[in-house]
Structures are given as C-alpha cells and as structure tokens.
Amino acid sequence: MKITDIEYRTVSIPFLPIIQEYFGMEYPTTIVSVHTDEGLTGLGESNSSHGSNITDSADSIAERYIGKSIWEFDLSTEGFTFQSALYDLAGQALGVPAYKLIGAKHRDSVELAYWSPPMPPKETAEEAERAANLGFRVHKLKARSATIVETARLIQEACGPDFQIRVDPNTEFGDLETGIRLADELLPYNIEVYEDPIKFEDLSWYRQLREKTDVPVARHIAGSAEILRNIRADAVDAVNTFGNVDGLRKSAAVAEAAELPIWVQVFAFGSCVASTFAAHMVCTIPNCTMPIDELPHIRVDDLSGGSMDLSNGAINLTDKPGLGISLDMDAVEKYRIR
C-alpha cells in the first residue's frame, strides 16, 4: 500500500465562550489526510507544538512519504502527526484498531481532565460544576497564587469533596516558601496533584516541597533520561509527559519502574484526530492511570460528527479498524481558514 497524496486543511475551531473570554487566543490546527493507492485514508493532526509551518514543509514531507509503502516506515518512531496517519492506515489495512499495533490494551476508556485558563474563582467553580455534571472527575487549573485557595474552596462547595483539582501554575508560585505555604493552605481540598508549582532550576526545591507538604508533586517533563533525573532527585510523585509512541512508552516504563503514575499531554488543543490517537497510545500504558490533558471538549466542535465517543469525561475506544473515527467534512469546511 503506497502513499499517493497528502492533503492539509487548517481549521480554527472556537473555544467554548467562557474559555474564549479568558484565554483570548485562537489556536488553529491542521488536519492531515494521507491517501493511498488502495483507497484508504489515514488521519493526522498538527498545530503550533507539532510544526506550525507544516504546510510550508509540504515539499519535503512529500519527498519523504509520497510513493512509498507505509510498511517501509518504523511506525513507532515517526513524528506524532504522520505517526497517527500511518497507524490509522495500518490498522485499516489489517482490520484492527490502532492500539493493537502499539501494545496490549489496559483500559477501554481513557479519562480526560477538564481544563480552564486563569479565571476568577466564581467563574472557575461554575465551570468545574459543569465539568462534574458532564462526568469529568478532575479539573486542571492554570492556577495563580492570588486566587487558587479561594478557587479550590468554591470548587469543593460546588462539586463536592470527591471532585479533584489538578493545580498547574506553570511555576507562577515562584519560590519554595510560597509553594509550601500554598500547599498547606490547599490541604483541606481534594488536590489531585501539584504540577510545576515553583521554579525548577534547582530540583532540590521539589524534593523539599515533597518532604514538607502532603500534596502530591508532579513535573511536566519528557524523555526517559529527564524523568530518571527527577526520580533520582526525589522530585516527583507523578509525571505529566509526552512524545511519540516509542518515546512515550520508554518514558512510561522508567516511571513505572519507580512505581510512579503518569498522565500525558501529547497534543492538548486538538480535534478528534489527535485526541483519539493519544487515547490509542495511552490505553496500552499500564501506569498511565491519571486523566490525560487532551482537550477536544473545550472547543465548540471536535470535527468527529459523533464518531469519537467522548462521554462521561472519557474517550471510549472501539474495535473499529485504525483510529476508528471519521471527519465531519461539513464541520471541517465550516471552520477552515486555509
């Protein structure tokens, strides 16, 4: 089965109104369709984190792929965008879901975390309540030191004590003293994890944070070597990581050897394509037990036309061949910008 053509459709799908109000930026994404001489099409996706100039690289991409059999490639080591498309094609050709070509399935559903940009506490709690009603059990907050404690209090009032909060300030809490103080103030609330709360130039700060607080501490890092460095520094209770199939599985194995749970943010602001491929990857990783940071649910449309089963805060995988989804081409054209 040879690749005959590659199509690119860049879309800008609006975020939900409340997220658009406080996030305030567009985040275009490019749907990549890889066609073959057997009439099969594989789907991939690219955004600013995965080659914002992908269409500008069309000539070099064509040289790499067009005219070649998909079986010439080591699927596990391809970059995420074309890896998705190739696994989709291979699964369709063999009549099996993509995950079967990656590893043994450990779960039928892959949980997603809800997500909010920095917002006032009241509005954040209202979003958390909406998320809980949709079946999400974890809400990831782009937290800020001035408001996080009040936000956590209001979320618990709105959603109850079982709803979890993933605190991710992107190091905005700053220094170790502030990180410890806020962790202590957050103890009455159900904090799932404290992700990158303080500066990480000195990993001893993260070790001390773990020693002096009872809130689980996580880092957003990739690569088996970097994960091992953090483990050796006693800096983490959990890891948020990313990568292609080969890299992600290696990173997960290192964390598993240290008995650490992980979650992933492979693509984040994607449509059904990237999110579904991420779910196929994650369902094969035994210690990826925490809800992942893929966010098709924060846009007004996921482009799947209902073919991606996103319900109760999770992507529910099927045994359909390949990724098991199709695009709603009317929706693609509606949001298409180039």
Side-chain angles (χ1 to χ4, degrees), residues 136-330:
F136 292 87
R137 67 181 185 90
V138 174
H139 191 164
K140 177 164 177 166
L141 305 181
K142 289 299 179 181
R144 295 296 178 261
S145 54
T147 56
I148 183 55
V149 177
E150 175 67 3
T151 298
R153 184 184 70 80
L154 292 178
I155 287 176
Q156 183 160 299
E157 285 184 2
C159 304
D162 294 332
F163 189 77
Q164 293 185 304
I165 302 168
R166 182 174 292 172
V167 178
D168 177 19
N170 295 110
T171 74
E172 189 270 345
F173 293 176
D175 57 39
L176 178 60
E177 182 181 3
T178 303
I180 292 171
R181 175 178 62 79
L182 288 172
D184 288 343
E185 291 180 24
L186 289 167
L187 274 179
Y189 311 108
N190 194 350
I191 306 302
E192 181 220 32
V193 77
Y194 211 36
E195 180 187 355
D196 288 346
I198 58 177
K199 296 176 182 178
F200 39 73
E201 287 84 352
D202 184 348
L203 284 182
S204 70
W205 280 15
Y206 275 77
R207 175 182 54 77
Q208 293 177 72
L209 186 62
R210 292 183 64 232
E211 289 173 349
K212 297 178 180 181
T213 70
D214 291 323
V215 175
V217 175
R219 291 284 319 281
H220 189 172
I221 47 179
S224 54
E226 182 63 13
I227 291 171
L228 181 59
R229 187 172 77 91
N230 277 261
I231 291 169
R232 285 174 168 167
D234 291 326
V236 287
D237 295 294
V239 172
N240 177 10
T241 191
F242 54 95
N244 64 6
V245 166
D246 181 64
L248 184 59
R249 289 177 67 82
K250 288 176 179 175
S251 293
V254 171
E256 184 180 22
E259 300 183 341
L260 294 183
I262 70 166
W263 79 98
V264 308
Q265 181 180 308
V266 180
F267 200 90
F269 299 105
S271 74
C272 61
V273 178
S275 302
T276 299
F277 182 50
H280 277 272
M281 296 166 69
V282 161
C283 81
T284 70
I285 298 175
N287 60 321
C288 191
T289 55
M290 302 169 71
I292 67 174
D293 291 341
E294 303 302 322
L295 307 171
H297 47 282
I298 68 167
R299 295 187 190 261
V300 299
D301 199 314
D302 63 25
L303 305 183
S304 76
S307 62
M308 177 178 69
D309 181 1
L310 201 172
S311 57
N312 294 318
I315 294 175
N316 304 295
L317 293 170
T318 72
D319 284 329
K320 294 179 181 177
L323 295 183
I325 58 166
S326 57
L327 291 174
D328 178 348
M329 294 309 298
D330 289 337

